[in-house]
Amino acid sequence: MSELRDLVLDAHGVTRWKSARTIEGYMSITGMLWARKGWPDALKQVYVTADTGAQRVSYQPFTKPDWRSVYHPEAVAIETSNGKPIKSRANPRAAFEGHTVETAWDDLHLAYFSGYAIWNYLNSPFLFQLPGFKTEEIEPWDEPSERRRRLKVTFPDAVATHCPEQVFHVDCDGLISRVDYGAVVTGRIPMAHYMSEYRDFDGVRIATKRRAYRRGADGTAITEAVVVAIDIADIRLS
């Protein structure tokens, strides 16, 4: 049952990931989601640092040139670049209760969503081997270019993520080409999130281009509007 999972782990460089403590790099994050929530350019040119062990992420700059965000699942904060506290929020996921698709976010909502999302993106698929994760190969999916195998992943409650069950599409090289989910904190809208332009960064293969679109009832992506776009310029593991 773990054959596809292990193929994916090896293809992305799990051995090197295990020896790393942080993944950090320059990236630009844009798209319709951020504009709808009131932050169209807040993550346009940022430096992101993500731990590989603990669920911790920092963006810098964050909403102001000399501020940075600090994300943990149980609390988020904004501080100056030299560590002076600005504001914080405990139990940040609860702050999304009652939101609709059109509800605007404050800066701490932004810190939480952008924090857990990029932590998952940079640390997947390596998370799948950790305690509490369940994986199962399900029926394949036909993209225009090729038939792709699919891995359904069930996340443990301890990991903040979009939703408990997500489906990862795997190409012929064992690389993740797409993930299907519906983020709870943004209204569970079905999404098809594509990954491409993989590069090898010190033994770990990471997609440097991500594009997320709404997913239609038939499972295909509705590509007229880009909901989230992530372009990674460089990555460093330490």
Side-chain angles (χ1 to χ4, degrees), residues 72-85:
H72 300 272
E74 67 278 4
V76 292
I78 298 173
E79 59 187 29
T80 66
S81 56
N82 59 8
K84 180 181 178 181

Side-chain angles (χ1 to χ4, degrees), residues 110-141:
L110 178 67
Y112 178 79
F113 181 86
S114 64
Y116 88 70
I118 204 68
W119 187 84
N120 277 261
Y121 299 161
L122 293 175
N123 284 290
S124 292
F126 311 116
L127 303 175
F128 304 167
Q129 65 185 323
L130 301 180
F133 280 84
K134 298 178 181 179
T135 59
E136 175 190 358
E137 183 169 3
I138 61 174
E139 67 278 5
W141 175 265

Side-chain angles (χ1 to χ4, degrees), residues 21-43:
R21 293 170 298 174
T22 60
I23 304 173
E24 52 193 310
Y26 291 98
M27 59 191 73
S28 183
I29 305 175
T30 57
M32 187 176 67
L33 170 68
W34 316 103
R36 180 190 298 130
K37 296 302 183 181
W39 301 95
D41 298 321
L43 307 177

Side-chain angles (χ1 to χ4, degrees), residues 2-230:
S2 62
E3 184 268 333
L4 180 57
R5 183 204 66 177
D6 292 345
L7 172 68
V8 170
L9 291 173
D10 289 341
H12 288 80
V14 65
T15 301
R16 175 64 182 98
W17 179 86
K18 286 180 178 178
S19 67
R21 293 170 298 174
T22 60
I23 304 173
E24 52 193 310
Y26 291 98
M27 59 191 73
S28 183
I29 305 175
T30 57
M32 187 176 67
L33 170 68
W34 316 103
R36 180 190 298 130
K37 296 302 183 181
W39 301 95
D41 298 321
L43 307 177
K44 199 166 187 179
Q45 298 291 337
V46 290
Y47 192 79
V48 175
T49 303
D51 288 2
T52 58
Q55 296 176 63
R56 183 185 185 280
V57 166
S58 178
Y59 283 80
Q60 188 169 349
F62 188 80
T63 72
K64 291 190 178 182
D66 60 343
W67 286 9
R68 68 187 178 201
S69 68
V70 180
Y71 157 81
H72 300 272
E74 67 278 4
V76 292
I78 298 173
E79 59 187 29
T80 66
S81 56
N82 59 8
K84 180 181 178 181
I86 302 295
K87 60 180 73 175
S88 63
R89 175 177 288 154
N91 193 16
R93 200 172 185 97
F96 292 85
E97 292 179 5
H99 280 206
T100 69
V101 172
E102 302 301 330
T103 302
W105 287 348
D106 64 24
D107 47 5
L108 291 171
H109 290 120
L110 178 67
Y112 178 79
F113 181 86
S114 64
Y116 88 70
I118 204 68
W119 187 84
N120 277 261
Y121 299 161
L122 293 175
N123 284 290
S124 292
F126 311 116
L127 303 175
F128 304 167
Q129 65 185 323
L130 301 180
F133 280 84
K134 298 178 181 179
T135 59
E136 175 190 358
E137 183 169 3
I138 61 174
E139 67 278 5
W141 175 265
D142 289 320
E143 286 283 345
S145 57
E146 66 176 344
R147 169 164 284 201
R148 291 174 177 167
R149 298 170 72 181
R150 295 195 298 170
L151 189 68
K152 183 175 76 173
V153 179
T154 304
F155 287 68
D157 292 341
V159 175
T161 189
H162 288 315
C163 56
E165 284 191 358
Q166 301 174 37
V167 175
F168 292 77
H169 298 224
V170 181
D171 70 15
C172 60
D173 296 318
L175 298 173
I176 296 171
S177 60
R178 165 178 159 176
V179 57
D180 296 341
Y181 56 80
V184 173
V185 300
T186 56
R188 294 185 179 270
I189 298 169
M191 301 297 297
H193 184 135
Y194 285 87
M195 290 85 89
S196 61
E197 299 184 16
Y198 274 84
R199 289 172 55 190
D200 187 305
F201 296 101
D202 193 21
V204 172
R205 300 187 74 183
I206 292 176
T208 61
K209 180 179 179 179
R210 288 174 168 266
R211 297 292 184 269
Y213 308 97
R214 286 190 180 227
R215 194 171 78 246
D218 62 354
T220 60
I222 303 170
T223 58
E224 284 80 4
V226 179
V227 179
V228 173
I230 303 175

